[in-house]
Amino acid sequence: MSSSFIEIKDEESGYALNQFCIPQHYENDLQNVLVPSGLISDRTERLARDIVDEFGDQPIVALCVLKGGYKFFTDLMDKIQALNRSKKTSTPMSLDFIRLKSYVRFNGEIVPQPAELSEKNDKSNGVKVIGGDSLQNLKGKNVLIVEDIIDTGRTMVKLLEMIAEVEPKQVKVASLLVKRTPGSTGYRPDYMGFEVPNKFLVGYALDYNEFFRDLSHICVLSDQGKEKYAIKKT
């Protein structure tokens, strides 16, 4: 099943910041609101319904990719649970959490690299799973991977290859955002919320150097914000 999605076109300017409640400490660091929290909530509810309709009463292991995916994961699971309480057929769920770290081989040695950088780096050639139960526990099970954003898709493709090695029953991917980027592999998740322009997005757990995760809306980061929160080299 390939999910439908809401397309936010490149020329769309989003919404003015003064039309929403923005934390005062971020007011000068953002360009606009691209996806308001209410729209995120409604779209997440629809994705939850699509997932329950497809899986029915089959148990699933919902696998959250941290850190950025935690907010979407939490809200998606809450909405699935609400559907389970209101429908005659409910979908049993177990939850697990992982982090991904990418690496490159340099002069025969493995050099760690943040997963978010690997999305933009053709030289990245591996993904390491950190935390969570052993992937072996996914053998023979229905797996739902929940991610915040698909950029080029390279990291997700590598994760799917790793999970396939333990022979799950089936694997589906839900991503809130899919970015239109020149380096995309063309990968598409099974459930997707929004297709978004190739802009630097923060909020709703999407971060820039660990800031902006506490922002309710998905916003476009301004040049001033990038400079303000950039990691200072010593």
Side-chain angles (χ1 to χ4, degrees), residues 101-142:
K101 178 168 287 189
S102 298
Y103 63 82
V104 295
R105 293 185 182 276
F106 183 73
N107 290 337
E109 296 184 359
I110 292 179
V111 181
Q113 181 182 22
E116 59 271 18
L117 293 183
S118 74
E119 288 285 290
K120 306 173 180 62
N121 189 343
D122 290 335
K123 295 181 180 179
S124 178
N125 54 22
V127 172
K128 180 179 180 182
V129 175
I130 303 172
D133 293 334
S134 169
L135 293 181
Q136 289 292 337
N137 293 337
L138 302 178
K139 183 179 178 65
K141 297 180 179 178
N142 298 308

Side-chain angles (χ1 to χ4, degrees), residues 119 150-154 178-188:
E119 288 285 290
I150 302 292
D151 198 317
T152 66
R154 294 190 188 96
V178 174
K179 186 180 288 189
R180 291 188 298 274
T181 176
S184 173
T185 62
Y187 171 78
R188 291 282 188 167

Side-chain angles (χ1 to χ4, degrees), residues 47 51 55 60-65 73 76-77 80 93-94 96 138 141-147 170-175 190-191:
L47 293 178
I51 291 167
F55 282 96
I60 62 175
V61 178
L63 190 62
C64 175
V65 180
F73 179 83
L76 183 65
M77 294 303 105
I80 290 176
M93 295 185 299
S94 59
D96 200 1
L138 302 178
K141 297 180 179 178
N142 298 308
V143 181
L144 176 67
I145 301 173
V146 181
E147 177 68 286
Q170 65 173 322
V171 181
K172 301 287 185 179
V173 178
S175 182
D190 302 279
Y191 310 99

Side-chain angles (χ1 to χ4, degrees), residues 35-228:
V35 191
S37 61
L39 183 55
I40 296 171
S41 178
D42 284 359
R43 183 66 188 137
T44 301
E45 183 174 0
R46 177 64 211 209
L47 293 178
R49 186 191 301 178
D50 291 344
I51 291 167
V52 169
D53 286 347
E54 181 168 5
F55 282 96
D57 59 359
Q58 298 182 73
I60 62 175
V61 178
L63 190 62
C64 175
V65 180
L66 297 171
K67 296 181 182 175
Y70 84 86
K71 180 63 174 170
F72 175 49
F73 179 83
T74 300
D75 290 346
L76 183 65
M77 294 303 105
D78 285 347
K79 293 182 186 302
I80 290 176
Q81 290 173 0
L83 288 170
N84 281 343
R85 292 191 295 268
S86 62
K87 293 172 70 73
K88 292 182 179 180
T89 300
S90 59
T91 305
M93 295 185 299
S94 59
L95 314 181
D96 200 1
F97 303 83
I98 60 171
R99 290 186 65 184
L100 302 178
K101 178 168 287 189
S102 298
Y103 63 82
V104 295
R105 293 185 182 276
F106 183 73
N107 290 337
E109 296 184 359
I110 292 179
V111 181
Q113 181 182 22
E116 59 271 18
L117 293 183
S118 74
E119 288 285 290
K120 306 173 180 62
N121 189 343
D122 290 335
K123 295 181 180 179
S124 178
N125 54 22
V127 172
K128 180 179 180 182
V129 175
I130 303 172
D133 293 334
S134 169
L135 293 181
Q136 289 292 337
N137 293 337
L138 302 178
K139 183 179 178 65
K141 297 180 179 178
N142 298 308
V143 181
L144 176 67
I145 301 173
V146 181
E147 177 68 286
D148 56 344
I149 186 168
I150 302 292
D151 198 317
T152 66
R154 294 190 188 96
T155 298
M156 181 56 67
V157 168
K158 291 171 185 174
L159 176 60
L160 289 170
E161 290 172 352
M162 295 172 65
I163 293 178
E165 292 177 357
V166 303
E167 299 178 346
K169 182 178 180 181
Q170 65 173 322
V171 181
K172 301 287 185 179
V173 178
S175 182
L176 178 63
L177 305 176
V178 174
K179 186 180 288 189
R180 291 188 298 274
T181 176
S184 173
T185 62
Y187 171 78
R188 291 282 188 167
D190 302 279
Y191 310 99
M192 57 185 288
F194 304 88
E195 184 185 81
V196 296
N198 188 25
K199 298 179 180 180
F200 204 119
L201 304 179
V202 294
Y204 196 72
L206 292 165
D207 78 302
Y208 179 58
N209 292 329
E210 297 301 327
F211 292 95
F212 301 99
R213 294 194 195 276
D214 55 332
L215 184 62
S216 299
H217 315 289
I218 295 174
C219 300
V220 178
L221 185 64
S222 67
D223 290 339
Q224 178 176 324
K226 293 177 187 177
E227 182 178 354
K228 179 178 177 180

